[in-house]
Amino acid sequence: MPIRTRRWRGLLGALVSLSAAIGLTAGLAAPAEAAGTTPVAVTKYSHTSESGDWVGQGGSVAYTPKTATITVEGAAETLTVRIENDAVWWTVQLEAPAGEKLHPGVYRDAERAGFTTGRAPGLDVNGQSRGCNRVYGQFAVNQIEADASGAITTLDATYTQRCESADAPVLKGAVKYHAYPLSFSYASEPGDYVGQGRTGTHTGATSLFSLRSWGIGGLSYEASGKREKWSALLVPPVGESFEAGRTYTAERGNGPGTAGLDVSGFGGCNAANGELTITKLARGTDGEVTALAATFVQHCEGAEPALRGTIHYYA
């Protein structure tokens, strides 16, 4: 593995913490102001059903607040998502294991919510007068937040459900309620040293994310989970600030007209070149970045194989 050094032109100062890892909190405040496109909280529901699945009848649905009323009732111990309009109704019930609260993570071996045994988590998806007597499934919570009263203010979850037997046709679904995108994904071409030719996606169910300011106008981003740890140092060109909607020519060290880009994962670069696009960027009242969406292409040591990635930090 090459010995790595960090040398950046035009940067001073130390690392200043902006944001910490996710969890069950009192709620994520919406970004105070944005440069370019303001991050927007997402509320939607969708599911797909295999042929023979009793609940979904082999079909698929997708709803947003424009086509249905989507609400969440309950608290972190057990909650129910309701999707309703004049023609349809669906409910998704998620239940933490006995004595626990729902938090970001994967809940396997789920039984029917309200009828669980032992420490099994609970899941029950039903609608249009169809439901399961026995549920075999699992669900993942990517984000969940509550207010001071315990009411759910943010939810991002996915599920798989089988009715009556463990090998029955599957119903798969996803629900977002006032959730901001939070993920990291990458695709590494064969021969790329940093990504080792692999692809992967990190979400809140499996991984922790952080974003901190770095030096003058720079950002240090980390994603950790699934036995992987990724870091990305993003720095605007000398004398500039990052702007949403701009694509920057990038090198490992920034300079006039050139952004700094240094992404490491299974390995790192001593020298790199590529491209960085800031798609969304929000700042708080103090000017610090609170939300970021970006894509990047990085070539390590001047090699042709590329590492491509997408960052969503509440944007």
Side-chain angles (χ1 to χ4, degrees):
M1 174 178 177
I3 297 173
R4 304 185 62 217
T5 59
R6 287 191 182 275
R7 295 178 181 174
W8 292 84
R9 300 190 297 275
L11 291 179
L12 296 171
L15 203 63
V16 181
S17 176
L18 270 181
S19 303
I22 60 173
L24 184 66
T25 70
L28 175 71
E33 70 178 77
T37 305
T38 303
V40 176
V42 177
T43 297
K44 63 182 181 180
Y45 172 75
S46 63
H47 72 226
T48 58
S49 167
E50 288 184 344
S51 177
D53 166 54
W54 166 244
V55 174
Q57 295 286 290
S60 62
V61 303
Y63 299 101
T64 69
K66 292 183 178 181
T67 57
T69 300
I70 302 174
T71 58
V72 178
E73 302 171 358
E77 293 80 4
T78 180
L79 62 85
T80 300
V81 182
R82 301 188 186 279
I83 305 97
E84 301 174 299
N85 61 26
D86 292 338
V88 301
W89 61 269
W90 298 95
T91 64
V92 179
Q93 188 175 355
L94 305 179
E95 186 175 86
E100 299 181 21
K101 294 184 177 182
L102 293 171
H103 56 78
V106 180
Y107 295 81
R108 297 180 173 84
D109 299 319
E111 301 175 4
R112 184 182 173 190
F115 299 89
T116 58
T117 60
R119 296 192 178 278
L123 170 67
D124 187 4
V125 184
N126 60 80
Q128 304 300 89
S129 300
R130 295 186 300 273
C132 306
N133 291 307
R134 287 179 176 268
V135 167
Y136 295 80
Q138 73 173 46
F139 59 91
V141 176
N142 296 312
Q143 297 177 59
I144 184 169
E145 297 169 8
D147 62 18
S149 72
I152 301 301
T153 57
T154 296
L155 178 67
D156 180 351
T158 61
Y159 68 82
T160 61
Q161 175 180 275
R162 300 177 190 270
C163 272
E164 316 311 337
S165 70
D167 59 356
V170 69
L171 175 71
K172 295 183 178 182
V175 58
K176 295 181 185 290
Y177 180 75
H178 296 168
Y180 289 88
L182 182 66
S183 65
F184 173 73
S185 62
Y186 65 91
S188 169
E189 295 176 350
D192 166 57
Y193 181 74
V194 173
Q196 300 288 295
R198 309 181 195 181
T199 61
T201 299
H202 292 262
T203 65
T206 59
S207 305
L208 299 175
F209 307 88
S210 66
L211 183 70
R212 300 176 176 90
S213 61
W214 197 95
I216 301 175
L219 298 170
S220 176
Y221 171 83
E222 290 188 353
S224 173
K226 302 195 295 186
R227 303 176 188 264
E228 299 177 8
K229 186 171 183 179
W230 290 84
S231 66
L233 191 56
L234 315 176
V235 185
V238 172
E240 299 184 32
S241 298
F242 276 133
E243 299 177 15
R246 282 191 60 183
T247 296
Y248 300 86
T249 300
E251 298 180 358
R252 185 163 180 261
N254 72 326
T258 301
L261 173 67
D262 186 5
V263 182
S264 61
F266 302 111
C269 307
N270 288 308
N273 65 281
E275 185 176 275
L276 173 65
T277 299
I278 305 296
T279 53
K280 294 183 181 180
L281 184 71
R283 301 182 187 274
T285 54
D286 58 359
E288 298 290 345
V289 174
T290 57
L292 171 73
T295 62
F296 63 84
V297 180
Q298 176 179 274
H299 299 271
C300 203
E301 317 303 344
E304 183 178 348
L307 172 70
R308 305 174 190 274
T310 301
I311 295 169
H312 286 288
Y313 188 82
Y314 298 115

